[in-house]
Amino acid sequence: MTNYIDLHMHTNYSDDGSYTPSQIVEMCHEAKVKIMAIADHNTVKGVEEGMNKAKN
């Protein structure tokens, strides 16, 4: 089964995230995830970068 939605992803802005927002968006694109959400702990710093990458 393929997941097309992931609404809980942590970027490197969270202590438990390993990838930049741009890397996460690229990985989602490669995995054919159509809807995703960055859900970092206590910050929204990665959202703008992720949105800009997704537009491209």
Side-chain angles (χ1 to χ4, degrees), residues 17-28:
S18 299
Y19 302 102
T20 67
S22 293
Q23 290 172 315
I24 296 259
V25 170
E26 186 63 34
M27 288 188 289
C28 285

Side-chain angles (χ1 to χ4, degrees), residues 20-51:
T20 67
S22 293
Q23 290 172 315
I24 296 259
V25 170
E26 186 63 34
M27 288 188 289
C28 285
H29 177 71
E30 291 172 4
K32 298 185 180 3
V33 172
K34 302 292 183 191
I35 300 169
M36 54 89 64
I38 292 173
D40 288 326
H41 298 286
N42 303 317
T43 187
V44 293
K45 291 179 182 176
V47 173
E48 185 174 358
E49 177 185 338
M51 287 174 56

Side-chain angles (χ1 to χ4, degrees), residues 2-20:
T2 303
N3 293 323
Y4 295 101
I5 299 172
D6 191 332
L7 299 178
H8 195 107
M9 299 181 151
H10 295 173
T11 70
N12 60 341
Y13 285 103
S14 285
D15 291 339
D16 57 349
S18 299
Y19 302 102
T20 67

